[in-house]
Amino acid sequence: MNENTIIVIFGASGDLTHRKLIPALYSLYVKKRMPDKWRIVGVSRSTFSDDEFRQNMESGVKEFANDKYNAGLWQKFAANVTYRPLDLGDVADMQRLDAYLRQFEENNGPCNRLYYLAIAPRLYEPAIANLGAANLVDESEGWRHVVIEKPFGHDLQSAQALNTAVHQVLRERQIYRIDHYLGKETVQNLLVFRFANSLFEPVWNRNYIDHVQITATETVDVGHRAGYYDGVGVVRDMVQNHMLQLLSLVAMEPPASFEADALRNEKAKVFSAIRPIQPHEVAKHTVRAQYRGYSEAEGVAPNSETATYTALRFYIDNWRWQGVPFYLRSGKALADKSTEITIFFKRPPHVMFPMPPGSKLAANYLSICVQPDEGIHFSFQAKVPDTAADMRPVDMSFHYDDTFGPTSIPEAYERLLFDALKGDASLFTRGDAIELAWQLVDPILAGWETEAAPPLALYEPGSWGPAEADLLINHDGFTWVQGCGNHDM
Ligand SMILES: NC(=O)c1ccc[n+]([C@@H]2O[C@H](COP(=O)([O-])OP(=O)(O)OC[C@H]3O[C@@H](n4cnc5c(N)ncnc54)[C@H](OP(=O)(O)O)[C@@H]3O)[C@@H](O)[C@H]2O)c1
């Protein structure tokens, strides 16, 4: 990149900057992917000297930058990193920031500016209003992009209000709403897998696909995040953003190009075609559960009904997917940490081989392991040697580690920051898609507040979740996968 760029991180004294943003920017520097002339300016209210800030960031890079720390390289990187204390709620402070950035621009020529809002969601609106009030978003001397962290709203109404406020200051093309799942290599590979291979696309539809499972499980419990999590719960924390994004990539039509809007139009079409689960239907299509012990965690309200686990059944009302159930499941304090998409194909219409009475041939399935063991598995039937025609499912697998090496996969934030610097918004969520996703989860959350709600099930920490989730899928004749590429049917 040959354009000068200043990256301003709002929330520079916070956790995200320390653990993710500076390590990711440092990795980009090591890979020579930073612009020719660049500067990182960290801002928050805390008072640090430039050197104190750099020391703080150095410890983050040592711990989190994928083993890339090198003292010499760090010194060169750190020479471009400075810190300014400011209150983003104060327009005069923002004007002082502008004057500070202009000093760099006067010495180095006009610069683009990337403003990264690594701040609490309640501060997005004042931060953007004051970027506008202090004239920091004027693009006459270079582009001005604003990266907004998740969550974007806590329901449809608040997301719409935030979009309206943001659009008063910025044009949509200047806004980069992060969903860090989209920065994951395996998620991007889903597009390559589907649209750069001719083998699967012809069978990627209701004629051949039986059902789809999307799982995102965590072993950790709510821990010290109870203050944030209680009242938010799994649907807002995982389903509205990450899981619906994964679903849209599985279900979308082939975009005409790899341009941001071509891709984002197709995703928005999927969201529009998903049949909303109405409040009166939540007991039929959803499970809500809490792990035992959650309500005793520090920061959790007594008698909290916040769901730490959910299982959902969605349908997509279009030609490609009519009648194919999409099951989504996510939870905390479970037996395994895994994010996986599994596509189950229909069984053969007729089996000529002798089978034990009452048994069924296992379905072929394709498992896309998003994390932690990134890869793809395909399960198909093979003849057991030295038998007449006994069959067993066997696995054809691709692991990123084996093929590309153990350090091949960059941190999601590295890719997303690189794209935001290049002006490529493909992997960022557009305002309409955010609102469409809220339109899908709001009725579920509303239904959970009524008498039609399924009872709040309890599950044991370290288990695979509540029995009710098994019942939801067993009812349709299916069972959940248990860990990437590991399914017995
Ligand atoms: N941490 C993660 O792993 C993670 C993951 C996904 C998403 N996110 C999202 O990223 C954002 C930041 O998260 P975080 O964990 O880094 O939060 P955090 O540790 O609480 O940091 C918040 C930052 O905001 C600054 N700040 C607060 N009020 C300010 C003001 N008036 N003016 C200027 N700066 C102000 C704070 O610094 P001062 O107190 O010094 O002003 C601090 O640097 C949130 O939206 C979160 O949802 C975080």
Side-chain angles (χ1 to χ4, degrees):
M1 266 178 283
N2 55 9
E3 292 183 336
N4 304 338
T5 305
I6 304 176
I7 301 161
V8 181
I9 303 180
F10 290 87
S13 63
D15 177 66
L16 188 73
T17 306
H18 182 78
R19 284 194 312 117
K20 298 286 184 188
L21 303 184
I22 295 290
L25 289 164
Y26 172 74
S27 294
L28 289 177
Y29 175 73
V30 172
K31 292 180 183 172
K32 302 191 187 328
R33 291 184 181 167
M34 290 295 266
D36 285 354
K37 283 188 187 162
W38 57 276
R39 168 66 61 102
I40 295 171
V41 181
V43 298
S44 48
R45 291 167 306 178
S46 308
T47 314
F48 300 115
S49 68
D50 287 345
D51 277 340
E52 283 167 336
F53 181 64
R54 288 174 190 138
Q55 276 163 21
N56 187 350
M57 295 301 112
E58 185 178 17
S59 69
V61 167
K62 281 182 179 165
E63 195 175 346
F64 300 110
N66 278 345
D67 298 333
K68 290 196 196 77
Y69 178 78
N70 168 296
L73 284 174
W74 168 259
Q75 290 304 329
K76 287 187 189 153
F77 174 85
N80 290 296
V81 178
T82 62
Y83 180 82
R84 303 299 289 173
L86 67 68
D87 185 339
L88 58 82
D90 183 341
V91 183
D93 268 9
M94 292 292 230
Q95 286 163 338
R96 278 189 279 277
L97 172 66
D98 192 40
Y100 176 76
L101 302 179
R102 282 187 182 284
Q103 286 171 19
F104 181 77
E105 290 167 336
E106 274 157 24
N107 294 330
N108 295 280
C111 293
N112 301 317
R113 294 185 193 174
L114 182 73
Y115 302 113
Y116 197 116
L117 305 187
I119 49 179
R122 67 185 161 76
L123 297 177
Y124 299 157
E125 223 177 293
I128 290 170
N130 283 344
L131 281 173
N135 203 27
L136 270 82
V137 292
D138 177 81
E139 292 198 305
S140 50
E141 290 176 27
W143 54 247
R144 305 291 182 253
H145 295 167
V146 180
V147 181
I148 306 178
E149 260 297 333
K150 76 147 211 176
F152 196 94
H154 61 271
D155 57 16
L156 176 61
Q157 204 183 3
S158 56
Q160 282 171 330
L162 185 53
N163 268 334
T164 305
V166 169
H167 286 140
Q168 274 165 9
V169 178
L170 301 164
R171 273 167 281 183
E172 181 61 35
R173 62 160 184 76
Q174 293 177 278
I175 309 165
Y176 289 70
R177 298 174 192 78
I178 284 247
D179 185 327
H180 72 268
Y181 263 51
L182 296 178
K184 291 180 188 292
E185 203 65 45
T186 30
V187 174
Q188 295 154 42
N189 189 45
L190 194 52
L191 292 175
V192 172
F193 183 79
R194 283 194 58 197
F195 303 130
N197 297 301
S198 58
L199 185 61
F200 288 103
E201 202 46 31
V203 295
W204 208 262
N205 56 51
R206 65 188 300 275
N207 297 326
Y208 296 94
I209 291 179
D210 193 40
H211 74 284
V212 177
Q213 297 184 20
I214 304 179
T215 299
T217 56
E218 295 178 279
T219 50
V220 293
D221 60 19
V222 71
H224 65 276
R225 289 181 71 222
Y228 157 74
Y229 192 85
D230 196 42
V232 170
V234 63
V235 171
R236 289 189 178 93
D237 193 42
M238 293 297 294
V239 176
Q240 186 273 339
N241 37 56
H242 309 320
M243 301 199 75
L244 285 176
Q245 288 294 332
L246 296 181
L247 188 157
S248 71
L249 293 172
V250 173
M252 71 199 270
E253 296 300 317
S257 75
F258 199 39
E259 294 296 309
D261 268 333
L263 211 67
R264 301 196 299 179
N265 287 343
E266 295 305 335
K267 282 167 59 177
K269 280 189 214 162
V270 175
F271 290 136
S272 309
I274 296 174
R275 191 186 309 163
I277 299 171
Q278 298 300 344
H280 67 274
E281 302 172 309
V282 285
K284 183 172 173 199
H285 294 297
T286 75
V287 169
R288 61 183 188 122
Q290 200 178 72
Y291 63 81
R292 194 181 297 282
Y294 172 78
S295 55
E296 283 110 60
E298 201 183 324
V300 172
N303 306 321
S304 167
E305 292 245 316
T306 296
T308 60
Y309 179 101
T310 191
L312 310 164
R313 182 197 292 113
F314 279 118
Y315 289 97
I316 303 177
D317 287 330
N318 63 18
W319 274 56
R320 187 187 281 262
W321 295 114
Q322 191 57 238
V324 178
F326 282 72
Y327 301 96
L328 273 53
R329 154 180 84 143
S330 181
K332 286 192 176 298
L334 292 168
D336 195 17
K337 174 183 164 66
S338 161
T339 302
E340 177 185 8
I341 301 161
T342 311
I343 320 285
F344 285 87
F345 293 91
K346 292 192 169 165
R347 292 187 168 85
H350 167 69
V351 182
M352 65 176 181
F353 306 106
M355 302 268 300
S359 64
K360 274 198 295 189
L361 196 62
N364 297 153
Y365 67 86
L366 185 74
S367 233
I368 296 156
C369 298
V370 174
Q371 62 182 19
D373 181 12
E374 292 89 350
I376 295 178
H377 300 258
F378 181 60
S379 172
F380 61 97
Q381 293 293 330
K383 177 178 171 295
V384 178
D386 204 16
T387 64
D390 289 1
M391 289 165 286
R392 212 186 73 186
V394 292
D395 187 43
M396 203 192 283
S397 57
F398 151 64
H399 293 268
Y400 271 81
D401 272 14
D402 298 342
T403 307
F404 296 113
T407 55
S408 60
I409 297 204
E411 259 290 315
Y413 277 93
E414 195 182 316
R415 170 64 197 255
L416 294 172
L417 277 161
F418 186 48
D419 282 2
L421 287 167
K422 281 189 307 182
D424 180 352
S426 312
L427 300 177
F428 294 82
T429 315
R430 212 168 52 188
D432 57 341
I434 292 251
E435 292 184 15
L436 287 164
W438 278 117
Q439 276 174 30
L440 292 167
V441 304
D442 267 11
I444 297 173
L445 295 170
W448 284 3
E449 296 289 320
T450 69
E451 294 203 334
L456 182 69
L458 269 185
Y459 62 99
E460 295 303 324
S463 72
W464 278 99
E468 286 78 351
D470 294 329
L471 292 177
L472 177 94
I473 195 166
N474 295 163
H475 175 270
D476 302 339
F478 312 128
T479 55
W480 292 111
V481 289
Q482 294 207 337
C484 275
N486 180 14
H487 185 74
D488 293 325
M489 271 191 73

